[in-house]
């Protein structure tokens, strides 16, 4: 490949980074403008606390508002609830069933029955409905019947806003959904957080439900980490204009300390674009549980204000999208980096390189117009894989006998990390639209982006450590393609004698890789230990933004030490150290792929991981140097 071709490839990468920068600035602007967070209380839980203290529910709500609460969520009454409260009577009568309604719920229940079960006939007395099917009462037990007037009155007296919690299980027709939304608007609510296991519409009516919510200007509270059937499709139909909500399930609360629960809400707001905290006050066995709840709400509100958020009615994010032209430029730049990666191993001729550039441009332009969503995902995946792999594999062996130098290793590490970060920013640029920010759409290539660079680095550096690699490389010369020497090294490694300790190392390595994959993401099958959670909390409070443990304690120190030995020509077990160090580079890039986390916070997290990783590496270097000198002196004396 000629210097001119190489310069064109680097120019394309620079242009792609510029396009990513423009896209990311738009995202940062949207993230910085939406800083208002709501604190919502569960009405039934507050009612319980009020009963424990012997005070009216409205008074308990008033005290919680003074502490910082902004909203109260009221669950829609079901037919069963009203029957148990003696507000509805069910009377079987000669092959039909009569529903007799108490005067204080008559109007709202009649409206819901007509919308959701239109086969009934009003009774001549006007105090109920008649259904020909005797089983009608049983089939309607889950149907929502509007909201308690008393509950709504308590909330309004306290000066709080109402969040409606409609029951959507039996809202299966347009008329039923309209009737449910009529009930929502009748209580003055403009935000819904669905109760139960599903949202409006389910399948066929999702798009219609979204249009109806938008027409009525009712916002949808999308509860993260608590899957409801249809919630992702409804959010997509709303084009990401949702309020991300964090709630701790009632069954999970006993497992968490109050402080840990408050930390979860704070982290959800700061790190995952959550703008509504749905809080169920704890029952901690205190003499005054209502006061404890007020203290918790006050602490939550204070934490939010200390983090430069305001407490109030949450807003949906403004539209954020990746402009088509900029996406095409980013895809072209990712393709250019891929060509440079292959150039490392195959020494691509100039003519073929120009052909590959033309193909890169053609595929990138075709992708953004023919399959935009797939092009975004593939572009992000390519950037997340290619840049860290290229940054590491370009580090060639040095002649043996060199002096170990921590300073040179740190310089090489900084350059390597900047190249990896460039890939992370390109990946983030490809995905920085509102759907990914709200986590409605997800970066599907996270696992591949973690595994593939590790695999490539393992194969390349194991091959480079083989004797046959050196022989062919010496015979061919360093200016010719490296691929034949790599192949010879791979063959030698694959045909070598396998010993028990080789198997043991591979089992440990595979277990570590599996653990890393399982630990990725917000919800993992292998949760952090109690000790790790305490360390995380300390780092969060000390540094403001906690770096990733695998970067500061493992990946970055391993890479710095590995680079020191590589630059000095020390090869023994170097391949293992390079693979361990790759974990840190992959983690750095993976951080940028969390589009639901504000970009500036991610950059601070990456920066904290880098400088702390360097500090740990320097400490290990000093301790190792002291240990080597002590051992050398001891050996000399004996």
């Amino acid at each position: 490949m000629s210097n001119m071709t190489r310069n064109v490839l680097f120019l394309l990468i620079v242009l792609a980074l510029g396009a990513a920068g423009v896209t990311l600035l738009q995202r940062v602007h949207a993230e910085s403008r939406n800083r208002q967070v709501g604190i919502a209380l569960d009405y039934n839980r507050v009612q319980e606390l009020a009963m424990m203290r012997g005070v009216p529910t409205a008074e308990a709500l008033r005290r919680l508002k003074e502490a910082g609460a902004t909203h109260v969520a009221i669950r829609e009454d079901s037919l069963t609830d009203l029957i148990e409260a003696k507000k509805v009577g069910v009377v079987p009568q000669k092959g039909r069933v009569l529903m007799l309604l108490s005067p204080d719920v008559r109007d709202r229940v009649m409206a819901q029955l007509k919308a959701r079960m239109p086969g009934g006939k009003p009774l001549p007395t006007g105090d109920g409905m008649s259904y020909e099917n005797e089983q009608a009462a049983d089939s309607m037990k889950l149907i929502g019947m509007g909201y308690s007037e008393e509950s709504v009155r308590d909330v309004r007296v306290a000066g709080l806003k109402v969040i409606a919690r409609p029951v959507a299980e039996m809202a299966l027709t347009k008329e039923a959904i309209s009737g449910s939304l009529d009930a929502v608007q009748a209580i003055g609510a403009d935000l819904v957080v669905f109760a139960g296991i599903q949202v409006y519409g389910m399948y066929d009516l999702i798009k219609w439900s979204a249009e109806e919510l938008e027409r009525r200007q009712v916002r949808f509270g999308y509860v993260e980490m608590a899957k409801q059937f249809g919630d992702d499709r409804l959010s997509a139909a709303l084009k990401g204009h949702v309020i991300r909500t964090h709630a701790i399930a009632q069954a999970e609360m006993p497992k968490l300390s109050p402080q840990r629960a408050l930390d979860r809400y704070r982290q959800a707001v700061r790190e995952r674009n959550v703008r509504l905290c749905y809080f169920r006050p704890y029952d901690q066995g205190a003499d005054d549980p209502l006061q404890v709840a007020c203290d918790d709400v006050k602490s939550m509100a204070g934490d939010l204000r200390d983090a430069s958020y305001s407490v109030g009615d949450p807003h949906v994010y403004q539209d954020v999208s990746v402009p088509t032209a900029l996406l095409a430029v980013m895809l072209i730049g990712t393709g250019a980096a891929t060509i440079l990666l292959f150039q490392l191993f195959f020494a691509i001729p100039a003519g073929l390189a120009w052909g590959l550039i033309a193909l890169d441009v053609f595929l990138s332009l075709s992708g953004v117009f023919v399959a935009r969503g797939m092009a975004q995902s593939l572009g992000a995946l390519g950037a997340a894989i290619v840049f860290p792999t290229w940054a590491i594999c370009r580090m060639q062996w040095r002649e043996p006998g060199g002096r170990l130098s921590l300073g040179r290793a740190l310089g090489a590490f900084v350059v390597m990390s900047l190249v990896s970060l460039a890939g992370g920013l390109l990946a983030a640029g490809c995905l920085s639209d509102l759907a990914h920010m709200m986590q409605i759409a997800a970066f599907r290539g996270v696992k591949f982006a973690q595994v593939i660079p590790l695999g490539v680095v393992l194969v390349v550096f194991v091959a480079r450590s083989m004797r046959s690699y050196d022989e062919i490389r010496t015979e061919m010369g360093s200016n010719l393609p490296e691929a034949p020497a790599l192949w010879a090294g791979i063959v030698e490694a694959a045909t070598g004698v396998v010993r028990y300790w080789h198997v043991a190392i591979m089992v440990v390595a595979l277990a570590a890789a599996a653990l890393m994959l399982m630990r990725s993401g917000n919800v993992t099958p292998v949760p952090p230990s109690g000790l790790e959670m305490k360390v995380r909390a300390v780092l969060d409070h000390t540094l403001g933004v906690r770096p990733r443990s695998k970067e500061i304690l493992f990946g970055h120190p391993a890479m710095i030490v590995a680079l020191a030995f590589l630059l000095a020509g020390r090869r023994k077990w170097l391949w293992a150290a390079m693979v361990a160090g790759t974990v840190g580079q992959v983690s750095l890039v993976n951080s940028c792929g969390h589009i639901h986390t504000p970009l500036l916070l991610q950059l601070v997290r990456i920066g904290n991981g880098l400088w702390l990783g360097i500090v740990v590496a320097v400490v290990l270097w000093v301790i190792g140097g002291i240990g080597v000198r002590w051992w050398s002196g001891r050996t000399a004396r004996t």
Side-chain angles (χ1 to χ4, degrees), residues 85-341:
K86 312 262 188 232
K87 301 289 187 180
V88 174
V90 179
V91 182
Q93 190 181 81
K94 296 181 181 180
R96 61 179 182 153
V97 64
L98 306 182
M99 290 194 182
L100 304 177
L101 312 179
S102 174
D104 57 337
V105 300
R106 181 186 302 139
D107 292 343
R108 66 173 167 109
V109 174
M110 287 282 283
Q112 294 304 312
L113 288 173
K114 290 176 181 178
R116 303 193 187 202
M117 298 290 285
K121 297 178 181 178
L123 296 175
T125 57
D127 61 352
M129 297 283 285
S130 170
Y131 288 89
E132 297 298 331
N133 184 355
E134 290 185 66
Q135 305 302 318
D138 291 333
S139 64
M140 291 192 296
K141 283 185 177 178
L142 292 178
I143 292 180
M145 292 292 167
Y147 300 86
S148 164
E149 293 82 357
E150 181 184 355
S151 302
V152 174
R153 186 167 55 251
D154 287 341
V155 175
R156 287 177 175 166
V157 167
L160 292 158
K161 291 182 68 68
V162 177
I163 295 175
R165 300 211 65 199
V167 179
E169 273 78 350
M170 298 296 289
L172 304 178
T173 65
K174 290 183 179 180
E175 292 77 12
I177 294 171
S178 292
S180 179
L181 282 171
D182 287 341
V184 169
Q185 292 187 301
I187 62 173
D190 60 0
L191 174 58
V192 295
V193 176
F194 288 98
I197 62 171
Q198 70 182 65
V199 303
Y200 287 147
M202 281 294 289
Y203 299 108
D204 297 336
L205 294 180
I206 283 284
K207 185 176 180 181
W208 185 88
S209 299
E211 292 172 351
E212 191 71 359
L213 286 168
E214 289 180 325
R215 184 181 70 81
R216 296 172 182 253
Q217 296 183 337
V218 175
R219 296 162 293 167
F220 168 41
Y222 177 67
V223 183
E224 62 166 7
M225 304 183 200
K227 178 66 180 172
Q228 292 176 303
F229 292 119
D231 59 357
D232 51 350
R233 299 180 70 238
L234 179 60
S235 300
L238 289 167
K239 299 177 183 177
H241 295 120
V242 300
I243 304 295
R244 277 182 63 82
T245 303
H246 185 76
I248 299 177
Q250 191 75 40
E252 190 180 359
M253 292 180 66
K255 304 175 185 178
L256 299 174
S257 68
Q259 185 57 52
R260 174 59 189 143
L262 293 176
D263 286 343
R264 266 186 51 167
Y265 285 109
R266 180 173 59 85
Q267 290 171 355
V269 170
R270 295 183 64 215
E271 300 186 10
R272 298 195 297 278
N273 287 327
V274 163
R275 291 298 176 264
L276 181 64
C277 298
Y278 190 109
F279 181 61
R280 293 182 177 90
Y282 270 68
D283 181 4
Q284 302 174 36
D287 292 335
D288 189 348
L290 177 58
Q291 184 57 49
V292 172
C294 291
D295 292 341
D296 286 343
V297 170
K298 187 175 182 180
S299 177
M300 185 187 299
D303 284 347
L304 292 172
R305 294 188 181 101
D306 290 344
S308 300
Y309 293 92
S310 60
V311 177
D313 193 28
H315 306 294
V316 298
Y317 276 78
Q318 68 183 61
D319 282 319
V320 179
S321 61
V322 183
T324 300
L326 297 183
L327 177 60
V329 173
M330 287 186 278
L331 294 177
I332 292 170
T334 301
T338 305
I339 296 171
L340 284 175
L341 176 61

Side-chain angles (χ1 to χ4, degrees), residues 61 70 111 239 406 624:
L61 289 170
T70 59
K239 299 177 183 177
L406 181 60

Side-chain angles (χ1 to χ4, degrees), residues 5-63:
T5 308
R6 194 185 305 271
N7 290 337
V8 168
L9 290 172
F10 279 115
L11 177 61
L12 292 176
I13 293 173
V14 171
L15 291 175
L17 289 172
V22 173
T23 303
L24 294 174
L25 282 175
Q26 173 189 246
R27 172 180 152 196
V28 169
H29 179 69
E31 290 168 342
S32 64
R33 286 173 61 88
N34 193 325
R35 306 286 293 181
Q36 190 151 293
V37 182
I39 299 176
L41 302 168
D42 185 81
Y43 179 84
N44 290 343
R45 180 61 184 143
V46 175
Q47 193 174 42
E48 291 174 2
L49 295 178
M51 291 173 63
M52 292 178 190
R53 291 301 298 158
V55 299
T57 304
E59 171 62 19
L61 289 170
R62 185 192 62 77
R63 289 174 58 182

